[in-house]
Amino acid sequence: MTSGSQQPKRRGVALDLRGVRRSYGGAEVLRGVDLSVNAGELLAIVGQSGTGKSVLLRQIIGLERPDAGRITVGGLELPRYLAIPPEEKPFRIAMVFQNAALLASLTVAENVGLRLREHRRHRPDEIEAIIHRVLADVELEGTEAKLPSELSGGMRKRVAIARALAVDPELILYDEPTADLDPILTQQIGELIGRIRTNRGSTQIIVTHNLPLARAIADRIAVLDQGRIVECSTPAELAASRQPLTREFLRAAALGV
Amino acid sequence: MAVEAIGRVPRRPGPIGRLGAGLLDVLQVLGEAASLFTAAVRASAFVPVDRQRVVVQMVRVGTDTLSIGALLSVFVGMVLVVQAADQLREVNESVLGPIVGLAMTKELGPVMMAFLLAGRAGSAMAAELGSMTVYDEINALRTMDIDPVRFLVMPRFVAATLALPLLILYSDFIGVWGGALVVAIDPAIKLTTNEYFARMLEWVHFSDVVIGLVKGLMFGMIASVVPCTFGLRTRGGTEGIATATTSAVVWSFILILVFDFLIVRGSFAVN
Ligand SMILES: Nc1ncnc2c1ncn2[C@@H]1O[C@H](COP(=O)(O)OP(=O)(O)O)[C@@H](O)[C@H]1O
Ligand SMILES: [Mg+2]
């Protein structure tokens, strides 16, 4: 696993959140999130279950609109970015859902190539080649014709990552990519994300409970608590943090829980 | 936090409150169905490009309905003749043909086949879209800039809307022959099958068949849009999918009957 020493070169986009708020019914889940992610950076977001990490990702990808606050991606206001027709978007964002969210009725290859096929910017043979390449990237050659139900949980997650990579995205969001995976698979996914960082330079945001993983691969780690980012620092700085929640996390991680 | 939460515990609503909440739910569902309907109609512009997906759905509707549809229709045609013959023996058996013909084309064919479509194909649509909603597949499509209405709802909508009129013709035909079968073999019925068909053709007009087909178009829209609506609004895991499926079928049945009444009432008002 590579740590955050070498700065990636090309293709990431920066992301900026200012005062992002989101409530459901009466309950305010996000209470003014401020967060800046540099182009090509690998940022981990940690926080307790139910603090709103998934909610935060849904605001960033545009599945939901925040009640207040601004989100800019690659210098564009998010609503403006979202309004651009798919084939004219200046850059692409992809999300890897917690349960992979592959379409159950489509094969691995169809899932991976879906976005390219629907947007009709590539010839079928180009799409074939891309599918082949990204499946090789996630070490799943030969699974093209399988259905998601025929794969293990770890394989499904890697197919989901391949599906994201197929559009060569400038920003990738991962929602707990290693939840319910064993340590070896966790390490594999971690290495894969590290490789994407070095090879493609995409900006990546990883929501995770796995602090050791976050410390091993992330440039910075943001701690979400009570609807705000209470701390955002490098793994080294984090080790010396005085934030109570951060200390809790570090202690729990040291105990191996 | 705890104090706040206790302060907000809602009072158990009384009967009027529950009725009101129920009514709001109904309006909400109808509103969502109406807006999904408009979106599906708009997405139908892509039928030429997406015809493959429409065909796939038509085949699914067909395999779901053709065999049971034949069984239902033949028995209903037979029962109609047996029942009516018993009532009419003293009067005039020659109206058996018109009775079966008119009942099948105008009412039984359309409603039976619509129920069948909603119960088999519609419930499958609700379950499938419900599971896609619960497991984030719909969200995944959205993040990939793929419109779930065009990708999932439109092919089902178009397939059901085109398939149901065809299914109704099929049902009419089989039902009428089911009746003819009883006419031919029941020794108590003196009418010949020739007379049965001759009188039927005399009484059943092209416009009666057309009314049935128009109903088919409308019911086909209902039996696909309503299940898709429930599928897309599914919440809460496996249990949610089961609830969505059941509600989708019940609601399709109710709306089919309501629209059946409105169409019949409307067509009489015109005449
Ligand atoms: N669509 C929604 N409707 C109502 N409440 C929601 C919704 N989505 C999330 N929440 C609530 O927001 C909080 C944060 O959820 P989530 O972001 O999923 O947590 P996590 O940090 O574990 O990913 C939870 O209390 C959840 O109940
Ligand atoms: Mg979550």
Side-chain angles (χ1 to χ4, degrees):
Chain A
M1 291 191 201
T2 53
S3 72
S5 52
Q6 64 197 113
Q7 274 309 302
K9 327 90 205 174
R10 354 170 250 139
R11 314 215 334 121
V13 287
L15 173 73
D16 194 69
L17 282 77
R18 287 292 146 235
V20 171
R21 293 175 174 273
R22 182 73 166 98
S23 319
Y24 297 99
E28 190 165 41
V29 177
L30 302 180
R31 306 172 174 217
V33 171
D34 294 319
L35 183 64
S36 282
V37 189
N38 302 320
E41 190 175 21
L42 202 169
L43 178 90
I45 299 176
V46 299
Q48 289 178 291
S49 292
T51 40
K53 302 183 297 295
S54 300
V55 169
L56 181 59
L57 290 187
R58 289 207 296 271
Q59 315 303 309
I60 298 173
I61 190 92
L63 279 173
E64 294 176 10
R65 299 288 161 97
D67 303 326
R70 280 179 50 190
I71 302 177
T72 44
V73 212
L76 280 174
E77 298 267 347
L78 187 64
R80 274 197 50 208
Y81 169 80
L82 293 172
I84 302 172
E87 53 298 338
E88 291 164 28
K89 287 209 154 86
F91 53 86
R92 278 155 303 276
I93 309 177
M95 174 145 165
V96 178
F97 285 85
Q98 182 170 352
N99 53 20
L102 302 173
L103 301 204
S105 57
L106 301 185
T107 64
V108 166
E110 287 167 338
N111 264 292
V112 172
L114 183 63
R115 193 168 172 178
L116 296 172
R117 245 183 303 116
E118 287 304 305
H119 295 165
R120 293 165 206 281
R121 283 199 319 175
H122 294 75
R123 293 196 316 272
D125 58 315
E126 288 176 330
I127 297 179
E128 282 299 308
I130 292 172
I131 293 172
H132 196 77
R133 199 185 69 228
V134 295
L135 281 177
D137 284 349
V138 300
E139 292 164 37
L140 281 176
E141 300 101 324
T143 57
E144 281 86 350
K146 287 205 157 67
L147 286 171
S149 56
E150 298 172 287
L151 304 178
S152 71
M155 289 164 95
R156 279 203 287 272
K157 288 226 166 116
R158 280 186 286 156
V159 174
I161 296 176
R163 178 170 71 177
L165 293 181
V167 293
D168 207 4
E170 281 78 357
L171 171 62
I172 312 178
L173 312 175
Y174 302 83
D175 198 352
E176 306 199 16
T178 63
D180 42 68
L181 294 187
D182 66 43
I184 295 172
L185 288 173
T186 299
Q187 161 135 0
Q188 276 181 12
I189 299 271
E191 283 169 358
L192 175 56
I193 292 171
R195 274 205 304 280
I196 294 168
R197 178 184 183 287
T198 29
N199 296 345
R200 297 179 181 247
S202 316
T203 308
Q204 298 184 90
I205 299 180
I206 301 159
V207 161
T208 181
H209 286 297
N210 192 328
L211 198 57
L213 174 81
R215 291 170 72 181
I217 65 173
D219 295 310
R220 282 189 303 154
I221 300 173
V223 181
L224 182 70
D225 186 33
Q226 313 254 328
R228 285 196 193 86
I229 301 290
V230 294
E231 168 148 25
C232 188
S233 51
T234 64
E237 291 164 358
L238 198 75
S241 166
R242 287 159 177 252
Q243 264 289 330
L245 183 77
T246 312
R247 298 231 53 86
E248 286 274 336
F249 257 102
L250 288 168
R251 208 166 54 238
L255 290 171
V257 269
Chain B
M1 187 66 195
V3 175
E4 236 174 71
I6 290 167
R8 262 195 263 115
V9 167
R11 257 186 331 117
R12 231 183 116 73
I16 295 186
R18 280 204 299 274
L19 192 70
L23 203 63
L24 279 182
D25 271 354
V26 170
L27 290 177
Q28 169 105 28
V29 169
L30 289 178
E32 282 175 28
S35 82
L36 188 60
F37 170 75
T38 16
V41 169
R42 230 179 278 133
S44 302
F46 294 105
V47 166
V49 195
D50 296 350
R51 59 188 175 280
Q52 185 87 43
R53 283 204 275 269
V54 176
V55 170
V56 168
Q57 292 304 323
M58 285 202 75
V59 170
R60 287 180 64 177
V61 169
T63 44
D64 276 350
T65 52
L66 283 177
S67 48
I68 306 186
L71 202 68
L72 272 175
S73 305
V74 79
F75 274 104
V76 165
M78 287 164 63
V79 168
L80 268 180
V81 168
V82 172
Q83 290 271 21
D86 186 53
Q87 306 286 318
L88 295 168
R89 186 147 307 125
E90 310 305 315
V91 197
N92 189 355
E93 279 182 345
S94 70
V95 294
L96 281 178
I99 286 178
V100 176
L102 289 173
M104 284 306 299
T105 54
K106 293 179 78 163
E107 209 47 56
L108 291 176
V111 172
M112 259 187 344
M113 292 304 107
F115 277 21
L116 177 61
L117 185 91
R120 292 222 63 186
S123 61
M125 292 176 198
E128 196 178 8
L129 267 59
S131 132
M132 295 186 75
T133 305
V134 167
Y135 297 115
D136 269 335
E137 292 173 39
I138 303 284
N139 277 339
L141 285 175
R142 293 208 174 98
T143 65
M144 294 190 284
D145 261 324
I146 297 170
D147 174 15
V149 173
R150 173 178 164 191
F151 188 74
L152 297 167
V153 178
M154 182 278 280
R156 288 166 173 77
F157 170 75
V158 173
T161 307
L162 295 181
L164 191 53
L166 298 177
L167 195 61
I168 289 170
L169 281 181
Y170 168 87
S171 165
D172 292 348
F173 185 80
I174 293 176
V176 161
W177 277 93
L181 192 68
V182 175
V183 168
I185 63 179
D186 190 335
I189 298 175
K190 301 289 176 279
L191 189 75
T192 66
T193 48
N194 275 348
E195 283 173 283
Y196 167 85
F197 281 118
R199 297 292 301 225
M200 183 185 296
L201 291 177
E202 216 172 282
W203 277 87
V204 180
H205 300 300
F206 183 64
S207 63
D208 299 317
V209 179
V210 170
I211 287 179
L213 298 186
V214 170
K215 284 183 177 182
L217 286 176
M218 309 229 6
F219 298 170
M221 294 177 189
I222 295 171
S224 52
V225 166
V226 171
C228 288
T229 304
F230 277 96
L232 292 179
R233 75 199 302 274
T234 304
R235 297 289 173 272
T238 321
E239 215 172 294
I241 300 170
T243 319
T245 310
T246 317
S247 313
V249 175
V250 172
W251 275 89
S252 300
F253 282 12
I254 293 174
L255 285 175
I256 286 165
L257 290 175
V258 168
F259 272 77
D260 189 38
F261 174 79
L262 293 178
I263 294 170
V264 173
R265 193 70 193 76
S267 72
F268 284 148
V270 169
N271 288 345

